Amino acid sequence: MECRVLSIQSHVVRGYVGNKSASFPLQVLGFEVDSINSVQFSNHTGYSHWKGQVLTADELHVLYEGIKLNNVHHYDYVLTGYTRDTSFLEMVVDIVQELKTANPNLVYVCDPVLGDHGSMYVPQNLYPVYKNKVVPVADIITPNQFEAELLTGKNISTEKDAVEVMDLLHAMGPDTVVITSSDLPSRLGDRFLVSLGSQRHVRPDGTRTTQRVRIEVPKVDAVFVGTGDLFAAMLLAWTHHYPNDLKTACEKTFSVMHHVIQRTISYAHELAGPGRRPSPPQLELRMIQSKADIEDPFYCSGDDL
């Protein structure tokens, strides 16, 4: 039976962010993807110049109403990422709640994009909307360390802190939490990044159990755009295929990320030339060239906590 995703994210004409980062990999893995573009830009905003339009909350509602009027609004997943507007975010919540009423098994995958490295890069008024409205209706969330700390009000300086933060996030609603990046020290040395995941399960007898995993991935000295969108899409796909095995789902997801990023950085350095730092156009994700790795990823191995 086909699986259908409603992806409400940004769109760029050139490059890979938002829906451009999420749709192709999901389609390669067999998902039908219906895309609503929250913005339509010429390219991502890391370039020197960009032009485009922003979809308003009312325009989002009109598009959704069109889908409803044709009775084609049955979805298995909703996927959302970066937005800067509170009314748009609140409209997303309304749509998710309505879709969940129609299909109680719908899974909402949310990347709660608020900021990184100690500072917010969205307006402050988005924070209470994420905390009080978005996260409670989400089933899977993919915050970085800063976002996880912000949403829970608790700092992470040890693995124990991270587990407590993930438990606090579970208590807010989501059954699956993956902290995509952290400042925790890696057992493999300072060239590796630590990510942590936690998934709650309900046993047949009604009792709860929690699986926790730790993944260590190589760091890359470059700034990529669209990787968070790709990560959330791949976690959606691999948790669908491994619904009760977060470790395998995370290993597959991080493997895709590793292959895409390595292919991208190699190509960017080749274009830039020796000793020159690659430019934003040169660092666009090598998505199409990574099709085989998306379909059959293998690299990263994780540990149960």
Side-chain angles (χ1 to χ4, degrees):
M1 185 177 173
E2 73 178 27
C3 209
R4 189 168 289 272
V5 180
L6 176 62
S7 183
I8 306 174
Q9 302 196 69
S10 54
H11 170 81
V12 288
V13 177
R14 172 65 183 263
Y16 290 93
V17 300
N19 277 329
K20 285 282 289 286
S21 268
S23 296
F24 173 74
L26 284 169
Q27 288 166 331
V28 161
L29 291 170
F31 292 82
E32 291 283 355
V33 183
D34 292 355
S35 301
I36 294 179
N37 298 326
S38 57
V39 305
Q40 177 164 271
F41 287 167
S42 55
N43 43 265
H44 71 67
T45 56
Y47 283 68
S48 301
H49 309 282
W50 52 274
K51 300 284 185 181
Q53 303 83 35
V54 177
L55 195 73
T56 66
D58 288 342
E59 289 166 338
L60 170 61
H61 181 67
V62 167
L63 289 174
Y64 176 64
E65 283 297 309
I67 296 168
K68 268 175 62 181
L69 286 169
N70 288 299
N71 196 29
V72 288
H73 60 297
H74 180 93
Y75 289 98
D76 303 288
Y77 289 90
V78 175
L79 175 63
T80 65
Y82 176 80
T83 185
R84 294 184 59 84
D85 182 72
T86 54
S87 60
F88 189 92
L89 199 53
E90 287 169 340
M91 180 60 68
V92 167
V93 172
D94 290 345
I95 290 171
V96 169
Q97 287 175 322
E98 189 168 309
L99 291 174
K100 282 194 169 196
T101 301
N103 175 20
N105 295 319
L106 180 141
V107 174
Y108 174 28
V109 181
C110 170
D111 182 4
V113 181
L114 290 162
D116 203 358
H117 304 300
S119 60
M120 290 182 70
Y121 43 60
V122 298
Q124 295 269 355
N125 58 359
L126 260 73
Y127 162 68
V129 180
Y130 269 113
K131 182 173 182 177
N132 301 322
K133 296 183 178 181
V134 179
V135 174
V137 298
D139 300 283
I140 299 173
I141 59 169
T142 59
N144 57 38
Q145 177 174 328
F146 171 73
E147 291 158 346
E149 290 174 334
L150 194 62
L151 289 167
T152 59
K154 180 177 174 58
N155 290 334
I156 296 173
S157 16
T158 65
E159 199 170 274
K160 181 174 177 289
D161 292 337
V163 168
E164 290 173 4
V165 163
M166 290 189 290
D167 281 343
L168 289 170
L169 290 167
H170 284 318
M172 292 167 69
D175 281 333
T176 302
V177 176
V178 177
I179 299 176
T180 56
S181 61
S182 76
D183 298 325
L184 294 176
S186 168
R187 298 162 188 163
L188 302 175
D190 58 9
R191 295 177 64 186
F192 285 78
L193 192 69
V194 174
S195 299
L196 299 140
S198 180
Q199 187 174 57
R200 295 189 305 187
H201 304 281
V202 178
R203 293 191 182 102
D205 64 2
T207 59
R208 284 189 177 273
T209 179
T210 305
Q211 180 189 12
R212 306 191 198 278
V213 297
R214 173 192 178 105
I215 306 279
E216 308 195 36
V217 292
K219 292 179 181 177
V220 177
D221 182 25
V223 176
F224 299 97
V225 179
T227 48
D229 308 314
L230 174 61
F231 184 92
M234 292 298 87
L235 190 65
L236 182 161
W238 293 112
T239 52
H240 174 78
H241 289 299
Y242 298 94
N244 299 308
D245 185 357
L246 183 63
K247 181 171 175 285
T248 298
C250 282
E251 287 172 348
K252 297 274 190 183
T253 299
F254 278 103
S255 178
V256 171
M257 301 304 299
H258 172 77
H259 288 298
V260 172
I261 287 170
Q262 287 300 323
R263 185 169 284 106
T264 301
I265 195 69
S266 296
Y267 182 72
H269 282 308
E270 187 182 312
L271 289 180
R276 303 189 63 167
R277 198 163 186 83
S279 65
Q282 292 167 340
L283 285 166
E284 289 286 5
L285 297 178
R286 301 289 284 168
M287 197 75 74
I288 306 302
Q289 297 77 9
S290 302
K291 176 177 176 287
D293 293 314
I294 292 167
E295 289 176 301
D296 187 22
F298 180 77
Y299 171 74
C300 295
S301 63
D303 300 305
D304 290 309
L305 291 183

